[in-house]
Amino acid sequence: MVWQYHKKMTKIGLKTKITGIVSVLKKDGKIHLAKCIEENWNKTAFEYSKQLNFWRPKKAMESELESAFAAELERLEFDAMSKEEILFSLKKRRILQTAPHLGLTEGPRMLCINWLGSLGVPEKEFYVVGMFSGIPFSNRSRPGRINRKKEAINLFPSTMQDALVYRAKIPPKIEEKLNTLPVKLTKFLPQAVPGASYTKWALQACQHTERRILNKNNLVYIDINEVVANYLVQVLRNSAHVFHKIFFDPKIRKQFMSVFPREIMFYTPVLNGKYEDMENMFFGDEGSQSLKGKNKEISLGNPEILIEEIQSGWVCPSLLLTFIALSFLNQFKCFGSFAQVEYLPVYQEKLARLPFMKIFKIESIMTSNLTTGVFPDGIDTFPADLIIHGENLKQKENWLFGELLLPIRSSLIGSYFTGDQRQNGNK
């Protein structure tokens, strides 16, 4: 009886704090985030995860997207049987975690996100994390570092701090830095070969460590920008496909630009002296037949020109292109953190206005699927530290979702996205 009374009083106190957070969010115009919290804070982590993992898509996945997923799984060296099982699960479930940026090791919030998102996944299915590589190494998620509580070991030289993570190469002399790390951690890292794919190495390392920490072998980590790039290479050759029309049909492109003026379409790597950098590419002014960045221009007069740029890795698909392909053309339910649950409904509302998008019935897609938080007693729980110190992660399926939110109260309230303003940073 005493325990039940204590639990009841704890829940009352939690409700008061959550109500305060929701009130501030509504006042700031973060309506979708407020609604997600208000409706789900008092569910256990397991109940909420099971709810998130329920989804019934109304159409089949495009064969081009299936082929693109297959190519990424092959790049990451999944064996043939695993690849087929993962693809079957993806086609059937159509659920993807899209909150994390692509990095070698994650922080406490992303670890908690993957724990929460994976809790309700059926045993024989897969929890697939589509990590986003369209960011610079200077991103606040520190994608090129071994992230720990007391320090972050930077694996990249100063000349690459603003370089694009997408298709980055492992830098020279990386062995010297890795040799300073405890063996307990490095044994989970694949061999780092200078000049080889950094994203492949980082994804495999992240998957190894978090499978170990969360004690789940059905976690799969992929580069979602690679998937969308492979998909675009295929569909841009099809004159009947909506992406072909957006890029190469002047009438359709004009309609698209009317609701997405100055929207980033691609990121591209550039070299400023000895420093690597990245810049954004947009459609040119009305009547222009090109994509333009500060230092680069791509003609849209012939689809093969853009296709070659994508194949060569000289352009990386943007956030908008990624979600059009996944959520709105292929009905993926994408889990996201506090910014995504605000900007994805904005994309949805804008796309729903376009006559050429009506056939996709995108208004039926669930776009606010909040996965965020930090373990109540583990705000400093870094995956790398858990591995190094041999600590087990304290996990309780009956924690309330609201309990995971309280440690990040300031982040929720201070999240930058309101209305239609996006910045390069949080997802």
Side-chain angles (χ1 to χ4, degrees), residues 122-154:
E123 188 176 338
K124 294 184 179 180
E125 303 293 348
F126 291 87
Y127 173 77
V128 182
V129 184
M131 301 186 90
F132 193 82
S133 63
I135 53 170
F137 282 104
S138 56
N139 181 273
R140 68 185 68 183
S141 63
R142 301 181 294 191
R145 305 185 182 205
I146 302 286
N147 294 299
R148 301 184 63 186
K149 178 182 176 180
K150 293 185 178 179
E151 63 177 338
I153 296 91
N154 194 350

Side-chain angles (χ1 to χ4, degrees), residues 354-421:
L354 296 169
F356 63 87
M357 292 295 292
K358 297 294 183 185
I359 61 171
F360 299 107
K361 298 180 180 179
I362 61 173
E363 63 279 357
S364 65
I365 305 300
M366 296 183 70
T367 50
S368 289
N369 309 297
L370 180 63
T371 51
T372 196
V374 167
F375 296 112
D377 53 358
I379 196 165
D380 295 322
T381 307
F382 284 82
D385 287 332
L386 289 172
I387 294 290
I388 290 168
H389 300 306
E391 297 175 5
N392 292 322
L393 180 66
K394 188 177 180 181
Q395 307 170 47
K396 293 183 180 179
E397 294 184 356
N398 62 349
W399 271 326
L400 296 180
F401 180 45
E403 292 181 88
L404 305 179
L405 299 176
L406 287 188
I408 60 165
R409 178 185 182 278
S410 59
S411 296
L412 293 170
I413 291 175
S415 59
Y416 62 79
F417 190 93
T418 55
D420 188 24
Q421 299 297 316

Side-chain angles (χ1 to χ4, degrees), residues 25 30-37 338 341-342 370 412 415:
L25 292 174
K30 299 164 189 172
I31 305 303
H32 300 287
L33 178 57
K35 183 180 179 182
C36 287
I37 294 173
F338 43 74
V341 299
E342 287 291 334
L370 180 63
L412 293 170
S415 59

Side-chain angles (χ1 to χ4, degrees), residues 11 21 33 49 53 73 82 136 145 150 164 180 183 192 205 224 239 269 280 301 310 368 373 382:
K11 196 168 184 178
I21 293 172
L33 178 57
S49 187
N53 278 283
L73 293 171
S82 296
R145 305 185 182 205
K150 293 185 178 179
L164 186 63
T180 66
V183 175
I224 201 60
S239 61
N280 302 324
I310 298 171
S368 289
F382 284 82

Side-chain angles (χ1 to χ4, degrees), residues 112-123:
C112 183
I113 282 174
N114 286 330
W115 171 76
L116 175 65
S118 63
L119 266 183
V121 176
E123 188 176 338

